[in-house]
Amino acid sequence: MAFDSEVQENAVCCITATGSGDQFGWAVFSEDLRAFRICEYLEDVHLSRTEALLLQLQPKRCCWFALPNEVPRKLRSVAESCGVELEEVKSQTAKEVDLEQDLGRLLVDGLGRHLEEQRHAQGMKSLAVLIGHLQLLNEAGNFKACTLGLYPLRNFVFLDKAAFSALNVLPRPEESQRSSTNLLGFLNRCRSQIGQRRLRQWLTQPLTDPQKISRRHDIVEMLVGADSFLRDLEGQLRRVPDLERIAARLHRTHAQSKAQGATLEDLVNLYHCILATDKMVQALEAYQGKHREVLEGTLLERLRSIMKDFGNFRALVEQTIDLQQAELRNYCISTAFDPSLKQLAMQRDKVREQMEAVRADVDKKLNLAGRGNEKSVSLNECPEGLALRVTKKHQQAVQKWNGKPPLKVLSLKKTEVFFTTTELVKLNKDLQQAVDDYQKQTDALVAKALKVASTYSSVVERLADVLADLDVLCSLARVALTAPCTFVRAKLDESGKDCVIDGAVHVLVTANSTQSFVANSVEMHRDLSRLHLITGPNMGGKSTYIRSIALIALLNQMGSFVPCRSAVLPCFDSIMCRVGASDMQLRGISTFMAEMLEAACILNVATERSLVIVDELGRGTSTADGFGIAWAIAKHLVEDTRCFTLFATHFHELAALEQATAAVRNRHATAVVEPQSGRLTFLYALADGAADQSYGAFVAELAGFPERVVAEARRQAEELESASSFGRARKRRKQEMLPESVQNIFEAENEEDFVRLATENLPKLQNFLDEGCDV
């Protein structure tokens, strides 16, 4: 994930840690918003929280200072996986900072009002290092212009790199920002740059507060219910420029910074944005539905206040800038604004008229044949200014001219000749003086206009904040209306006891496939079924199913509708995944070690409010070790952590966990084998209970294995299963699944009772044998 300034915030962060290395300090500075945010947190050996913060904020670079022991090496690995450039700060740089004095010069409101921030000693240490490293005091535009606040760690869902990769949250380097193969691209129907940036922020920072989530849902529901209203807003949002960048340039102009300041083009773009915003306010005020109160508090009140503050800005642009010329992308001061400017423009134009008269006189006297209405002698730009020009065929006529005015050849080229007269040379000097005078007066007026406009930088920042939110909400509504599957509003369960989804769909699979998708449901209850063990064949849909549930949870908490028929969802504090290790292998870590690292992160970080999805844990080691580890982790998650967990596995013996501990429920991906052809057909539908057999040989057959290899695989698997404790355990489990009447047959005390019971229950016994159970 390389940094992309178009859709990511221009931010730089700094990380420090205590001597023991367990408490980290974090500081981040947004260059465009001139905002400092700090936090501190307890970190584990895998740097899980640091990884989550890097993914949430996606800074363009990260620096670190005085980290103990092996932390720098681990941080380099984490930063590389997150696509963040990492650099070390030298101790001399950190020593040069007097934090209290420097913040007094940088902060808008001084340091005295930030007592809560000062209590976070490690975060303030990171802030001191960051200020020195970025040399913020060398930029005059930062003085009395920066803000300081705490970064609200608990306000956002914890998502680590494993979750980002498993759920395809962000585009890969080769994918575009609108590619439907990743979640950001699928949701990106934004009409503005600030909207795209905000969408990425919402997606990487899902909310944990149900009230805030519900307010986003309310606005999306309002927009979904009024398609024409939504289209009107989308049309106006197209006129919204990159307001965050414009605000930053206006601020630099106001602070007389050496960096690039605002231009007349910025003012014109902002002017058209304000006109579009005024129309959007009128449209929003016309809404009188059930979400009127939320609309007022979320958008309208803020927009009205902003538009009021922009009252004089519109008049400034209309009076000073030539808006007709601006339509032609020629941004200049209107001549009607300043009488002296109009006079200078008249003088300039008068000289040009005199030059045209000289041209006409020479053209008449040379009497050269032109092509059609084309002038045989024309005025063109050249290094000497404006000069007379004829084509190459008239070169002799110019050089042999002996009349008045005398002609002086300036240059001979392959297809044309440039020449001038004494009067034209004088007029060129007069024109240059007139242009210089006009430009000098224009520059002065432009500087005055920009200086006045620069005082609106904070208002532009507020407008950017609101319109970015509105653009994302419109994007989410458009997705809900046009997605290839049904999107509905989820009901939030603030008690956190239920997670019930009817007809869940993996939206990225649906968006990129022409085949119909088999929707599946999930019903999990905190006390009765918080861990679902999912067995079934390879390619049977287990991985897609558990990912679809995690995606639905993520979409819900960013404020979106979700792809299903109905849903009741809790607010999770983290979504954690253990589903693959391909990127780990590129970093020199074995498959099994990658599994263990991700599993360790889950065990250390997951809480009762987490959603955990695990896929094929333990496959990188021996069967016995893998089964033991998978059993222990599943048991820990259900008994100790008590979080909602979807655990997909090929260890069918794990199904016995349902009898060993409470709140476990077995489910399996269904498939059927046709009796005559022996062909395996995947149904992709989930059903209750554990899978009764493995279909590995069938999948090998589908992959095109030679018949002899498939047959040998089946024979060896049957022998191994019969001889292993796993095979005996599976037989016992199959017997445990039998009806009581059939179980009595096998529990007969002698042969006579066995024959009698088998005869009495022959149909049930036959059915048992037909299902492939070994007697």
Side-chain angles (χ1 to χ4, degrees), residues 92-135:
Q92 184 59 37
T93 302
K95 290 177 181 178
E96 293 172 353
V97 177
D98 183 335
L99 184 60
E100 184 174 348
Q101 177 181 317
D102 291 349
L103 286 177
R105 299 175 66 186
L106 292 170
L107 297 182
V108 173
D109 49 1
L111 188 57
R113 297 187 179 185
H114 296 281
L115 297 178
E116 183 61 31
E117 287 84 353
Q118 293 180 65
R119 293 191 183 99
H120 293 70
Q122 200 62 38
M124 294 297 284
K125 179 181 177 181
S126 297
L127 180 58
V129 175
L130 186 62
I131 290 173
H133 179 62
L134 296 179
Q135 299 182 331

Side-chain angles (χ1 to χ4, degrees), residues 145-164:
C146 301
T147 59
L148 173 62
L150 294 175
Y151 184 78
L153 279 172
R154 297 183 182 275
N155 288 6
F156 306 125
V157 175
F158 179 100
L159 293 166
D160 61 5
K161 182 62 168 60
F164 272 79

Side-chain angles (χ1 to χ4, degrees), residues 68 74 100 239 253 364 375 381 384 505 560 630 645 713 721:
K74 294 178 180 178
E100 184 174 348
R239 309 202 69 173
T253 298
K364 181 179 179 181
K375 297 174 182 177
E381 291 280 355
E384 290 78 8
V505 171
S560 172
T645 305
E721 185 166 304

